[in-house]
Amino acid sequence: MLRMPSCLLKLTRLVLSHKLWILFILILVFVSFAYHKFYWGIWEHPKSRGPTYALSAENSCAHYVPPSLNIAAGPTPSTANVFFVETSEQTTPSYLFSCSVESAARTHPTSRVVVLMKGLAKGNTSLPKHWAFSLLSCFPNVEIQALDLTELFSGTPLKKWYLWPLRHWEPYFLPVLSDACRIVLMWKFGGVYLDTDFIVLKNLQNLTNSIGLQSWDELNNAFLSFKPKHKFLELCMQDFVQNYNGWVWGHQGPQLLTRVFKKWCSVETIKSMSCKDVTAL
């Protein structure tokens, strides 16, 4: 009869004498593995996942765009722009992203709806073959352009901040970069800025020099509407650099706007209010 090797025998005795600890470790490993698979299943790059359903990359515009919105002449130059920004290298817009842009195009037929994407190559006139670009190109007022950050930040206090070589190693670099872009866009060009999870139901052009409240005492930068070169935005750019902290979530976004607005209005607590031509909604 074959005998179990002494090393295996000792290992078996060790396992039996520490059954609870071994069971605990196995459960911990299993939970960690399951969490890892779940987390990366949600956050994996969209290119690695198939869509839940397919849309053709070549759409018939007549099917999607009502004749009333198919304005051959395009938007009037005097109407403020509506901006969306993608600061990652992503070039495959999600369904929500596409719905946000489409809803803005439908509710602002005489405005330029500008989608700026960092992942697009500057100077390349052809867009990637993707159903979202095909759909959005049906709207004559939608413009999808490459986001040139060096050019965008030039002539502002944020140029030196952006060019610092170690900036990309900060934990919240992409959200902070998005925070910076929207402030500079509003200061340089004016108009409306929206995050790409907004579904617009009504025209927003009547909201001028406005910011949204996200709580009883904090503003939010997911929606901004300003005239160009507004002093409030200039102060925001200055605060962005002077009080910069890329290691705290929201410090350069909602918290920045809140800090500046409290100084702007000389108040300790923010509520739905308007002062010095800026409104918190």
Side-chain angles (χ1 to χ4, degrees), residues 58-66 69-71 105 131-142:
E58 296 180 358
N59 297 318
S60 170
C61 291
H63 178 72
Y64 293 104
V65 183
L69 290 176
N70 196 3
I71 305 168
W131 65 264
F133 294 128
S134 179
L135 171 64
L136 295 176
S137 66
C138 291
F139 293 86
N141 56 333
V142 173

Side-chain angles (χ1 to χ4, degrees), residues 26-155:
L26 288 175
I27 292 174
L28 184 64
V29 170
F30 174 78
V31 171
S32 299
F33 175 77
Y35 173 79
H36 177 82
K37 294 294 291 182
F38 175 76
Y39 179 88
W40 288 109
I42 292 175
W43 294 106
E44 65 182 349
H45 196 281
K47 287 184 177 179
S48 65
R49 292 182 294 169
T52 54
Y53 58 92
L55 286 178
S56 171
E58 296 180 358
N59 297 318
S60 170
C61 291
H63 178 72
Y64 293 104
V65 183
S68 60
L69 290 176
N70 196 3
I71 305 168
T76 57
S78 60
T79 308
N81 299 323
V82 179
F83 289 101
F84 293 91
V85 175
E86 176 57 68
T87 52
S88 73
E89 299 296 330
Q90 175 66 261
T91 57
T92 54
S94 67
Y95 295 111
L96 179 56
F97 185 118
S98 306
C99 284
S100 297
V101 177
E102 179 181 346
S103 68
R106 289 180 180 274
T107 51
H108 300 80
T110 60
S111 299
R112 292 170 65 233
V113 179
V114 184
V115 182
L116 298 169
M117 305 186 74
K118 184 174 178 288
L120 297 179
K122 185 180 180 182
N124 189 354
T125 56
S126 61
L127 293 170
K129 194 177 178 70
H130 188 267
W131 65 264
F133 294 128
S134 179
L135 171 64
L136 295 176
S137 66
C138 291
F139 293 86
N141 56 333
V142 173
E143 299 179 16
I144 301 173
Q145 302 177 12
L147 175 60
D148 187 332
L149 292 167
T150 304
E151 180 181 341
L152 176 63
F153 294 139
S154 65

Side-chain angles (χ1 to χ4, degrees), residues 132-237:
F133 294 128
S134 179
L135 171 64
L136 295 176
S137 66
C138 291
F139 293 86
N141 56 333
V142 173
E143 299 179 16
I144 301 173
Q145 302 177 12
L147 175 60
D148 187 332
L149 292 167
T150 304
E151 180 181 341
L152 176 63
F153 294 139
S154 65
T156 75
L158 278 72
K159 179 181 179 180
K160 187 177 180 180
W161 163 83
Y162 174 68
L163 294 177
W164 190 55
L166 299 180
R167 187 68 62 206
H168 292 214
W169 293 98
E170 294 175 353
Y172 304 121
F173 174 68
L174 285 181
V176 169
L177 187 59
S178 180
D179 292 333
C181 286
R182 64 192 71 184
I183 293 174
V184 175
L185 281 170
M186 291 294 94
W187 183 77
K188 279 193 169 184
F189 306 107
V192 175
Y193 167 84
L194 295 171
D195 273 0
T196 55
D197 56 1
F198 271 72
I199 304 300
V200 188
L201 302 180
K202 293 183 179 181
N203 191 291
L204 302 172
Q205 298 293 2
N206 64 319
L207 302 176
T208 306
N209 303 333
S210 301
I211 316 170
L213 277 162
Q214 72 175 20
S215 69
W216 66 273
D217 194 38
E218 190 169 40
L219 295 170
N220 188 283
N221 61 347
F223 158 79
L224 298 171
S225 178
F226 277 89
K227 293 181 178 178
K229 303 298 188 294
H230 198 284
K231 181 65 177 178
F232 179 83
L233 298 172
E234 184 179 334
L235 294 175
C236 287
M237 291 191 296

